[in-house]
Amino acid sequence: MSVRGGALMLVTALAALLLLPFVAEKFYVQFATKVLVMAIFAASLNLLVGYTGLVSLGHAAFFGIAGYLLALVTPQYEAADLWSSLLLAVGAAALLALVVGALVVRTSGIYFIMATLAFAQMLYFLFHDTSLAGGSDGIYIYVRPQANIGGWRPFDLENFRHLYFVVLAMFVLVLGFLRALVDSPFGRVIAGIRVNEQRMRALGFATFRYKLVCFVIGGALAGLAGYLSAVQFGVVNPDMLGWHLSGSALMMVILGGMGTLPGPVLGAVTIMLLELGFQSLTKHWQLLMGAVIVLVALALPQGLAGLVALPGTARARDDG
Amino acid sequence: MDIVTFLIQLLNAVQYGLLLFLVAGGLTLIFGIMGVINLAHGSFYMIGAYLAWSLSEQLGSLWLAIVAGVALSVALGLLLEWLFFRHLYRRDHLYQVLLTYGLILIFEELRSILWGDDVHGVRVPEVLSGSIPLTDTLSYPVYRLWISAVCVGLAALLYFVIQRTRLGMMIRAGASNREMVQALGIDIGLLHRVVFALGVALAALAGMLAAPVSSVFPGMGNQVLIVCFVVVVIGGIGSIKGALLAALLIGLVDTFGKVVELEIAGFGVLPELAGMSVYLMMAAVLLWRPEGIFGRRLA
């Protein structure tokens, strides 16, 4: 596809997203909000998996911890301040990613997968088994955070349309940031690490530090998604940290096409639609989801992006 | 803690550690020989436990249930290897993670459809149902001792097969150089099938043995899987020796972590936090040796 074709598609998609809340019913707007949040989450994981070659199976830890932070700083029947709580939540996710990353980035390959999963599950059990934050029931957030700038409140998150636009803005910001990041010299180094880490080290790059920085950025962005999810649903529980969410995000990345920017977004949309469809069919929808996942792993190594050649798919890895 | 309580906890720790070794040993063997990370390994443990419950209800005997259950799980292992795993040997770990994650979802739902979501107890066979008195007031269940004995026997058998038999020689050779083994005329496909079925059978057997002690409940497989990952990370991937050492270590840390009341700087530590002790141990090992105690140095 030509550059112009790609740009046209991007503008059309953005226009459709901007128009959506004016034409769609509440349910669909809320569903779209949820999809955008998951797309941010999947894109943050893709930075690790698709661009750096770090297959993390514990990414939900950073999503969940940020959600929990909002719940913990929100007073019972009052609103938290959006800016400070957002900063705190994303900061906490980044800090956690720094600590976990410093340990797990020392390993590679299959070890990395196991260690990330184990640390994430440790956090899951910490919240699930202790009375630290509501145990297995989690905590409700009765009032959504307020966005105050001085005395002015530019939007109200209790309004589903306002919430949608805020999430959309975050989504665009995150994708723009990731685009800039992967196109920067930093992005070239991590791409080099994915292809051949020894060579990059031989060239004099401190690969450990690059991978750690990547892990922290990925964790912080996952935290942003977790924060937005907690705002939308008004509740946090240990499942937000659980490995089903990590697995689901990995599925989005691979199904959509990893190592591409539109890939995880496409994956998030597809998975969420499938989930919605399967749930309406049967109580045992995970059976169908499992079958789809198995089929994708066996038959679709390049993901959907490999089928329809989206803009930027030239970056897709072909070393599988 | 008096000496008898200590002894009881020590026996519990060793029994848990040995059982963990059966599951983790299969996981590390499958990775070491076939290069496949199998997230669904914990599901085989769960399937074993449910088979023990369901078959012993049907057949009226846990012994028969175990024999039939091992046969069924070997058959299941061979079927899964043929359907899915043989396509994964040369693929990126990412696809192995994805496929086996999909299998977990399928197994969990099939379990729910076939056997429901209730927790079930499994009765200990008559012969093993007593307990051995340690003092006038404390005694230790025979069944738990029996599990430990069976696990020790299996570990010894595994060691013998791998170190002393022709099959073991092929397995070790296959782990270090697949092409060479193939060039020597050994059927590598058959070798993979044998190793995979062996791993599945060990995990399922561990589930069957554990069923009367831990009862049978949804999600039990994933719980075990995570701990097995910790075992493998600590012990070093592909190392049976490492898996045994790490499993016993985790048995001790986990069991005593729950009993010994910790007090740090005058504050009692929440007993629930004891569950984190094994992960702290993993963190310490990663700092010290990222490749695990008996792991090969990573490039």
Side-chain angles (χ1 to χ4, degrees), chain B:
Chain B
M1 192 186 297
D2 64 86
I3 185 76
V4 179
T5 328
F6 175 78
L7 190 64
I8 287 179
Q9 294 306 335
L10 189 66
L11 287 170
N12 279 344
V14 170
Q15 179 252 304
Y16 175 54
L18 285 169
L19 205 60
L20 211 52
F21 166 69
L22 281 198
V23 191
L27 187 73
T28 206
L29 200 63
I30 288 174
F31 177 75
I33 314 293
M34 316 188 347
V36 169
I37 178 169
N38 179 16
L39 295 189
H41 196 68
S43 302
F44 301 138
Y45 175 85
M46 175 189 78
I47 289 169
Y50 272 88
L51 280 178
W53 165 68
S54 146
L55 289 174
S56 64
E57 298 273 295
Q58 309 267 321
L59 302 170
S61 148
L62 185 64
W63 302 113
L64 283 179
I66 288 180
V67 173
V70 168
L72 277 174
S73 45
V74 167
L76 178 73
L78 290 174
L79 179 72
L80 289 171
E81 202 276 341
W82 181 71
L83 275 177
F84 305 115
F85 286 85
R86 70 192 167 107
H87 303 293
L88 289 178
Y89 298 140
R90 297 194 171 267
R91 298 279 290 277
D92 197 280
H93 294 322
L94 196 56
Y95 300 99
Q96 303 173 350
V97 165
L98 196 63
L99 184 128
T100 52
Y101 174 70
L103 286 181
I104 290 179
L105 297 185
I106 294 175
F107 286 139
E108 277 290 330
E109 288 298 343
L110 285 180
R111 190 262 314 138
S112 169
I113 293 167
L114 276 175
W115 290 311
D117 295 326
D118 296 330
V119 177
H120 300 284
V122 175
R123 219 151 19 133
V124 173
E126 203 77 44
V127 207
L128 302 171
S129 60
S131 50
I132 294 171
L134 292 176
T135 63
D136 295 341
T137 48
L138 288 165
S139 56
Y140 197 78
V142 177
Y143 186 75
R144 279 177 178 266
L145 286 177
W146 182 76
I147 296 184
S148 299
V150 171
C151 290
V152 169
L154 282 171
L157 186 68
L158 198 63
Y159 177 82
F160 178 78
V161 168
I162 290 182
Q163 295 298 328
R164 294 276 181 272
T165 65
R166 194 176 153 73
L167 172 69
M169 190 182 70
M170 287 191 271
I171 288 177
R172 278 180 289 138
S176 47
N177 194 331
R178 191 197 311 244
E179 279 78 19
M180 187 60 83
V181 168
Q182 228 162 347
L184 288 172
I186 293 165
D187 185 349
I188 197 95
L190 182 68
L191 194 64
H192 282 161
R193 281 193 285 281
V194 170
V195 169
F196 191 74
L198 184 68
V200 173
L202 283 178
L205 183 62
M208 292 176 215
L209 294 174
V213 176
S214 75
S215 74
V216 175
F217 57 95
M220 64 189 296
N222 295 343
Q223 220 171 38
V224 163
L225 180 76
I226 311 290
V227 187
C228 281
F229 276 10
V230 178
V231 169
V232 173
V233 169
I234 289 178
I237 205 150
S239 165
I240 294 282
K241 193 166 54 170
L244 181 61
L245 181 75
L248 287 173
L249 213 58
I250 285 176
L252 287 173
V253 168
D254 187 70
T255 307
F256 282 96
K258 279 175 186 147
V259 206
V260 182
E261 290 204 8
L262 283 175
E263 214 170 279
I264 295 171
F267 293 99
V269 173
L270 289 170
E272 297 109 310
L273 287 182
M276 288 178 66
S277 51
V278 296
Y279 299 100
L280 293 176
M281 191 163 73
M282 180 176 78
V285 170
L286 281 176
L287 271 176
W288 169 52
R289 274 177 79 92
E291 69 279 6
I293 298 175
F294 289 111
R296 271 170 268 170
R297 275 247 168 242
L298 299 168

